[in-house]
Structures are given as C-alpha cells and as structure tokens.
Amino acid sequence: MLSRDEMKVDQKPYRVDGSIYQRFPVTNQAFAIVSTRDMGEPSYLGFLEKMHKNLGTRMQQGDKGFSREENARDLGANAMNLILGSYGFPNHQFLQWKSMIVPEHLSKMPVGNSSKELTDMVKNTAKLYGSDLTGITELDEKWIYSKDMEKPFIIIDEGEPEEKEEGFYIPRSMNRAIVLAFLMDEEMIYESPELDASVATSFGYSRMGITAVSLAEYIRALGYRAIPSMNDTALSIPLAVDAGLGQLGRHGLLITPEYGSNVRLAKVLTDMPLEPDQPIDFGITEFCENCILCAEHCPPEAITQGEQTIDCNQITGNSGVKKWYIKGERCLNFWQENGASCANCIAVCPFTYGFESMQCFECKGCAERDRGCILQTNTLYRIENGYLKQERWADRGEVMIPRRRGL
Ligand code: SF4
Ligand code: SF4
C-alpha cells in the first residue's frame, strides 16, 4: 500500500511547453463563451437562463429527479454560494481583497511564528473552517488568469493586492496559494445528471465560499495579506496539482488519493511565508490511458477517448499543457439541455468509489503497469486510512465523511 509520502515526487507530474503556453483569459472559459453567445453581450453566468428554462419544463413534465422538492434542495444548498461569491468573481461580494472585519493595526502587524508553525496553523484552521484536504504551493504566475471578464490581472513587483479601474493588481509577494478541497456528497453525485447531483455541487460551492472567506480573514488577523478565491483569479486545478492534492484525470478534473474526483476546489493567495507541499504521482496518467469510463458515460461526448495532446483545437482550452482536453462547450450545452449541471464523469470514475472486481473485465491495464493496479493499491490506502469503507473486497466502497470540527 502506498502512503501519501510514497506518492511524493520532485518534478511536477505534467509537461508544459513554455513556447506555446500563455496565460488564459476567463473570457475563453466555456461558461463565458456559451453565456456571451446566448446573451448577445459579455456574460459569465448567462448560460443559466436556458438551463433554468429547461429545468422548469422538466419539473412541469414531472420528470424523475426533477421534482419541486429536489429543486428546493438545490436552491437552499446554493444560498451561501450566491450570497458570498456567486461561483467566484475577483474582489466581489465577500471575496474582498482587503479585510472586512480585521482591525487595521492587526492586519499590518505580522506575528513572529516560523514558517513551519504558520503552515501548521493555516492547515489546522482550514480544516476547522471546513476544508477536507489542504495543500500549499508556491504560486506559479502562469496559472493566474490573464484577464477577467473586463479587466486584466496585472502582476506587479511591489504594492498591495487591489482592484483599480485598469485592472486587478497582484504583487509578486503574494507568492503562496493555499488550495482547499471539499468532499461532495457521494450518493447525490451518483444521481447525475438528475438534480440531486447539482445539490451536491451547489453545497460544495457554498462550503468553498465559507472557508475561503473565513481563512482569508484569519490570515489577515495574523498580519498578512490574503485573496480568497473560488473559480476566479487563478486556475484551481493546476494549483491543486502543484500543491500535492492529486493529479489530473482524462475528464479534466483533479483526482485525489483520498476522495478521487469527488471534490470542489477553492484557494487563498497570500504573502504568508508558508512551506510548500510536494506534488504527488500515484499513477493516474497511466491508469487513465487504459480507462475510458468517463468518456463512455459523458452524454455529449465531451471527453476524448484518444491520447493526450499538447495542442487544443478549441477556444475553451489552452494549448501548451500535455493532457486530455475537454470539449467545454459541448459539456455546458448538455447542462442547458438537461436542465441541471452534470457530474457523470465524477460519478463513474473508479477513483471516486474505489476498486470493484467487475472493473477488471473492462480494464486491460494491469499487465502493462510495472506498479500493479494503482486503483487497487489506492483503494487499500483509502480503507486503511479511514477514507473508504468496504465490507468485502469485491463490493463497491462507501466514501467516509471526514470529521470536521468547525464550520
Ligand atoms: S460534466 Fe457531464 S457533460 Fe460535462 S464532461 Fe462530465 S460527463 Fe461530460
Ligand atoms: S473514469 Fe477512468 S479515464 Fe476517466 S478520469 Fe477516472 S480513471 Fe481516468
């Protein structure tokens, strides 16, 4: 059985071609592309209109999984997300780049703890505030968006993190990203593409907002600067990979050793001198090469069954990283048609629920791998460490909800 320490690697587990890669603008995200096309003007969440219209039709038709009660559960789960940050816009709503409640004299007086002590303090507090996995990385500037919907993100040598008329300024001293992962309700995710999977996602977003906003105020109260962030400002998945939380899968999502891909991600950028974690490699790239479950179960065929590439031939992807590129517009158009977001690729990924012997019939990979079947190995790791319960080896595992002390 591999422990997390044995998964650590010195090199990042992906390849970037620096001659091709350029920082990515939010306006090229699928959400922005589809929304702007639908609304006829720049928009990020306009895609929701068509999705909600079809949701109403399905509720009226009495479609299974689209009842009034299920919709109410989704709206309630999404409340804190919409109040705090609406999925994430920089320096907006409660995702403020300046302190909201910490007295100014405290926010300008850094505590004298060592980096090791600060790192332990931040990780323990992130857990208290609701994070299920927390990793720290040096902030790689190439993962900061080049531009938001209207203004650029400008990296400066000195100064404060702040929004001005001409852009969002991020000083180079904000050189750490604390990446936070939140486990979603596994049973509800299995209901995808029905509304209950959307409930799990919405609640994940609400928890992201609560923890990111709270952790940013905690850091400011210790005398350092903090930018709380949901989907905005920088790309969460590469930061999570750099912070050692997991690896990128064929479906374009993070796969963690503890919870597979059933997590949502937020981050806090800071100038607190925290100790970075090492990235990990537990064999996901090799496993995904032989597994196409997510691609087979993606209703609009937005996930490729082919090889990794470095060139992405569509506007919603960003060439220069060797990976499997997702057809983002197809994915989002399916959400609109479906009347609710989809999570089929999370639900069917075997790293979400662990090894089942039936999968061996579909997978031809173990003979080709020199480390054995990483799914079996990782499932043992999860069972031994209390992340998964499995009564019998051949049965589907039950994901264990982590004990959280606080929020
Ligand atoms: S969310 Fe659904 S539609 Fe989108 S890539 Fe995953 S399986 Fe496909
Ligand atoms: S379903 Fe299979 S191919 Fe897709 S991400 Fe999970 S392990 Fe990789």
Side-chain angles (χ1 to χ4, degrees), residues 156-225:
I156 48 175
D157 287 332
E158 285 178 4
E160 293 289 317
E162 61 185 327
E163 178 181 357
K164 292 187 184 168
E165 207 172 311
E166 63 276 15
F168 297 96
Y169 287 83
I170 303 180
R172 290 214 155 81
S173 55
M174 302 290 286
N175 58 10
R176 291 289 183 274
I178 306 157
V179 190
L180 313 158
F182 302 86
L183 175 65
M184 294 189 285
D185 188 295
E186 150 226 15
E187 286 178 20
M188 288 185 142
I189 286 290
Y190 293 154
E191 298 304 318
S192 173
E194 294 179 7
L195 260 177
D196 264 352
S198 179
V199 176
T201 305
S202 298
F203 197 52
Y205 269 108
S206 284
R207 289 182 52 219
M208 281 161 62
I210 291 169
T211 307
V213 168
S214 306
L215 193 66
E217 290 297 338
Y218 169 78
I219 289 169
R220 290 161 180 158
L222 292 174
Y224 294 92
R225 295 178 289 187

Side-chain angles (χ1 to χ4, degrees), residues 249-251 255 261 284 287-288 291-295 345 348-351:
R250 178 186 289 278
H251 50 8
I255 301 183
S261 350
I284 289 298
F287 192 94
C288 289
C291 170
I292 49 167
L293 275 174
C294 52
C345 44
V348 299
C349 177
F351 285 91

